[in-house]
Amino acid sequence: MKKLIIINGPNLNLLGTREPEIYGSLSFTEFLEEVKRKYPNVNIDYYQSNVEGELINKLQEVGFSYDGIILNAAAYTHTSVAIGDAINAIKTPVVEVHISNTFSREEFRHTSYISPNAKGVILGFGLQSYELAIQSFL
Ligand code: CA2
């Protein structure tokens, strides 16, 4: 069985509560239950943190044994050299995802410290971006 993990960065624990016009109205836990039901033959773990160092600890923890990491580093995407370095340092391939199309938003969201070290990037398809990332590993 393939072992994947979805790692979400800061504020993504608030999904479904605010800004539904950008991020949708489903909570991530509801979405995850649905996806797990749809892919019963894939082991899908989930981790969310608002703390940069904790995200790095998790990447290092799973980065040598999992088959794939699906990472939405949220705002750290645009700021964190350290998360970019962590992706470079691990063996498991990382697919970067975003719910919104970051290129149709503010200029500061157009840069990513994740993309250069990612296997691929999927963005702009709402929560479906995560499902497409899962499919990319299957
Ligand atoms: O589109 C994405 O997935 C983002 O990674 C989301 C980040 C944003 O900083 C990135 O530029 C693009 C923000 C996540 C904030 O999530 C919220 C969820 C509900 C309510 C408010 C914010």
Side-chain angles (χ1 to χ4, degrees):
M1 210 197 271
K2 281 243 159 100
K3 217 170 149 53
L4 306 181
I5 183 167
I6 297 173
I7 301 180
N8 271 345
N11 298 310
L12 287 166
N13 54 314
L14 297 178
L15 276 182
T17 64
R18 288 178 45 237
E19 302 193 64
E21 62 292 348
I22 305 178
Y23 300 116
S25 51
L26 209 60
S27 80
F28 200 82
T29 353
E30 287 168 328
F31 167 75
L32 192 62
E33 275 170 26
E34 213 177 283
V35 159
K36 281 185 172 180
R37 241 177 285 129
K38 207 165 160 184
Y39 298 90
N41 297 324
V42 189
N43 190 322
I44 308 169
D45 288 337
Y46 177 59
Y47 180 77
Q48 190 276 333
S49 176
N50 295 321
V51 180
E52 187 175 14
E54 285 181 358
L55 294 167
I56 294 166
N57 285 344
K58 182 54 78 175
L59 286 165
Q60 291 185 7
E61 186 188 315
V62 299
F64 297 90
S65 52
Y66 279 59
D67 298 299
I69 297 170
I70 294 154
L71 174 65
N72 185 348
Y76 287 140
T77 305
H78 319 299
T79 62
S80 180
V81 174
I83 293 178
D85 283 351
I87 294 166
N88 228 5
I90 60 177
K91 274 183 75 174
T92 302
V94 171
V95 169
E96 174 183 354
V97 307
H98 298 286
I99 299 166
S100 62
N101 178 353
T102 46
F103 293 102
S104 66
R105 302 181 65 190
E106 304 96 320
E107 191 79 29
F108 68 86
R109 296 187 203 274
H110 298 186
T111 53
S112 168
Y113 285 100
I114 314 294
S115 304
N117 301 326
K119 184 182 179 196
V121 184
I122 301 169
L123 57 88
F125 295 98
L127 288 175
Q128 213 198 330
S129 298
Y130 291 91
E131 193 181 340
L132 293 168
I134 291 167
Q135 287 172 4
S136 78
F137 283 114
L138 304 183

